[in-house]
Amino acid sequence: MIDVLATGIKKSKNVLHYFFGKGAVGNLGPILLEAGEKGGTPPVFFVDHFFHNHSELIRGFLPSPAENILFVDTSKEPTTRQVNVLRDRLVQEGKDHPSAVVGIGGGATLDVAKAISNLLANGGHAEQYQGWDLVKVPGIFKVGIPTISGTGAESTRTCVMTNPQNGLKLGMNSDFTVYDLLILDPDLTRTVPRDQYFFTGMDSYIHCIESLRGSYRNAVGDAFSEQSLKLCREVFGAEDMMSEENRARLMVASYLGGCAVASSYVGVLHPFSAGLSVVLGVHHGLANCIVMTGMQEFYPAEVEEFLRMAERQKVNIPRGICRGLSPEQFDFLYRSTIIHEKPLTNALGKEFKKILTREKVEEIFRRL
Ligand code: NAD
Ligand code: ZN
């Protein structure tokens, strides 16, 4: 029998360099100058579309004129098609050999920038690299600048994309996907709407509880998870989760949470969350929080803690999302959940399909 975790984490790579702190984003200019000295055309910037109408927030640290800004529409999660189209645009405009690729935004934008960097150096199409260790050569030098905290996309070795052709939601899992340099500046997250801040921030909490509850663990991953959880508890247990100190704490929690998943696996919750994203288009952070409300039998203490934190921060988690779905939609939800063998094996063992039967999965979705 094939061991689905045979590709497990035996060696782990972290981001090589990072700047941290209020004002850290001021380092971007010198970094890009240095990168430019090594050759290539001017850097390209992938920026979350929120900043299109709020350019005053980024103008201060982007080189001017910044003609190579590509705004990333994050109203939907990244697709392989979207990545291919963005890459094609760079090729058509003769900008496909940049000295650096810079991602500025949340998990979606950071992932798009990672994927483009890999694709520009490796050729082909994004879908060819969905899987484990399929990227052959290092991507273009890439800099990640998160503007919302929680996914850990800044520190992981993957970039999640959905292939609309086959519904596969999977990233380019590769050491080459890890950012070369990060700028973690908590000032950049001050404009995030409160609910979104909570939903995305909780991704970090959830990554860590799932890793710690799994059976494929290692001591380094556990240490990252424990520290990240401690910070999440301070942030979401505080009166104002978005105070300057708490935004800094959550940025660290997110980074460490990404390091934690990079050296372990998630569990039962993420596969259900991916089901909601693929079938109903619910965004990752919100989908996680919705699924959390139905995970009592797997993570009882954590569900209770999560609900307390949501109440403390006055964040409403939508209920009844699967009400009125057709049997075909429940079938699709089941398939999109159960496909995630690695995390489910990590959480429930190799016989996980005996626990998560078609009926059981539907029952859990109906609970949400
Ligand atoms: P996101 O990137 O979609 O951003 C969420 C929302 O916040 C967007 O509407 C965006 O416009 C807005 N936003 C971002 N920064 C802002 C700011 N400073 N001010 C105001 N609004 C701002 O969401 P996310 O939760 O950060 O990321 C989710 C994505 O990350 C999913 O596609 C998921 O698959 C992926 N993900 C990747 C990894 C990884 O390891 N690569 C891990 C977890 C999740
Ligand atoms: Zn996640």
Side-chain angles (χ1 to χ4, degrees):
M1 186 178 162
I2 300 167
D3 180 354
V4 293
L5 292 170
T7 55
I9 290 94
K10 298 181 188 83
K11 98 176 194 290
S12 193
K13 183 180 167 193
N14 292 131
V15 171
L16 278 180
H17 296 109
Y18 54 85
F19 289 93
F20 183 83
K22 200 174 157 61
V25 83
N27 293 293
L28 182 62
I31 291 162
L32 295 179
L33 274 181
E34 198 184 317
E37 282 163 10
K38 295 181 187 137
T41 54
V44 290
F45 302 87
F46 292 90
V47 182
D48 185 285
H49 66 165
F50 165 80
F51 295 99
H52 193 225
N53 294 327
H54 297 86
S55 57
E56 71 285 359
L57 298 171
I58 52 172
R59 208 178 294 135
F61 62 86
L62 286 191
S64 90
E67 62 236 22
N68 295 339
I69 297 181
L70 287 90
F71 287 102
V72 179
D73 181 355
T74 54
S75 52
K76 294 208 174 86
E77 296 198 334
T79 62
T80 46
R81 202 183 112 74
Q82 179 186 15
V83 169
N84 292 333
V85 166
L86 284 168
R87 185 274 316 270
D88 292 346
R89 202 176 130 190
L90 290 178
V91 172
Q92 275 157 18
E93 294 175 5
K95 296 172 177 170
D96 51 333
H97 290 91
S99 55
V101 169
V102 184
I104 304 175
T109 308
L110 293 175
D111 279 358
V112 165
K114 287 168 152 186
I116 296 277
S117 158
N118 279 341
L119 213 49
L120 286 178
N122 284 269
H125 298 294
E127 51 274 28
Q128 284 168 242
Y129 302 101
Q130 282 182 298
W132 279 266
D133 302 310
L134 302 172
V135 181
K136 296 286 176 259
V137 296
I140 308 277
F141 174 72
K142 54 188 175 298
V143 180
I145 308 182
T147 63
I148 179 170
S149 305
T151 64
E154 62 275 25
S155 44
T156 62
R157 68 194 291 278
T158 190
C159 49
V160 185
M161 302 162 294
T162 302
N163 178 345
Q165 247 94 53
N166 57 14
L168 185 65
K169 190 180 178 190
L170 187 63
M172 302 176 178
N173 293 270
S174 160
D175 278 354
F176 298 136
T177 305
V178 179
Y179 271 108
D180 297 294
L181 191 145
L182 291 178
I183 299 182
L184 304 171
D185 188 334
D187 259 4
L188 296 176
T189 65
R190 66 181 188 279
T191 49
V192 177
R194 280 185 68 81
D195 281 6
Q196 185 66 54
Y197 180 90
F198 182 87
F199 298 146
T200 295
M202 270 300 153
D203 200 15
S204 195
Y205 174 86
I206 293 169
H207 286 154
C208 297
I209 60 150
E210 289 193 279
S211 296
L212 287 172
R213 290 248 171 228
S215 41
Y216 290 79
R217 292 162 51 183
N218 71 55
V220 177
D222 281 5
F224 281 131
S225 293
E226 279 157 11
Q227 184 60 25
S228 177
L229 270 184
K230 178 175 171 282
L231 292 166
C232 288
R233 287 180 174 129
E234 284 170 18
V235 171
F236 296 112
E239 197 171 315
D240 179 9
M241 63 181 178
M242 290 191 72
S243 68
E244 198 174 319
E245 294 76 20
N246 283 332
R247 281 188 289 101
R249 280 190 187 103
L250 193 60
M251 199 159 246
V252 181
S254 175
Y255 172 79
L256 294 177
C259 296
V261 247
S263 47
S264 61
Y265 294 97
V266 287
V268 189
L269 189 145
H270 266 76
F272 279 82
S273 169
L276 284 186
S277 295
V278 169
V279 180
L280 302 178
V282 186
H283 284 226
H284 185 64
L286 176 58
N288 282 347
C289 289
I290 291 175
V291 173
M292 192 69 174
T293 63
M295 288 281 114
Q296 291 83 353
E297 67 216 82
F298 305 108
Y299 308 113
E302 292 82 356
V303 172
E304 215 176 278
E305 182 174 46
F306 165 81
L307 293 173
R308 264 202 317 275
M309 293 191 284
E311 199 183 320
R312 174 127 180 97
Q313 300 304 332
K314 302 188 179 57
V315 172
N316 221 354
I317 314 293
R319 304 305 306 267
I321 183 127
C322 295
R323 219 173 277 150
L325 295 187
S326 66
E328 293 73 31
Q329 282 173 305
F330 279 113
D331 271 339
F332 193 12
L333 278 171
Y334 169 71
R335 280 184 277 117
S336 315
T337 302
I338 219 76
I339 197 171
H340 296 276
E341 295 192 356
K342 282 173 193 269
L344 292 172
T345 306
N346 179 41
L348 302 173
K350 292 197 171 91
E351 306 284 315
F352 69 85
K353 284 188 190 152
K354 291 192 179 148
I355 301 169
L356 293 179
T357 59
R358 166 71 179 73
E359 293 67 37
K360 181 71 190 170
V361 170
E362 177 167 339
E363 193 241 294
I364 292 173
F365 276 117
R366 283 187 184 280
R367 241 186 245 170
L368 306 179

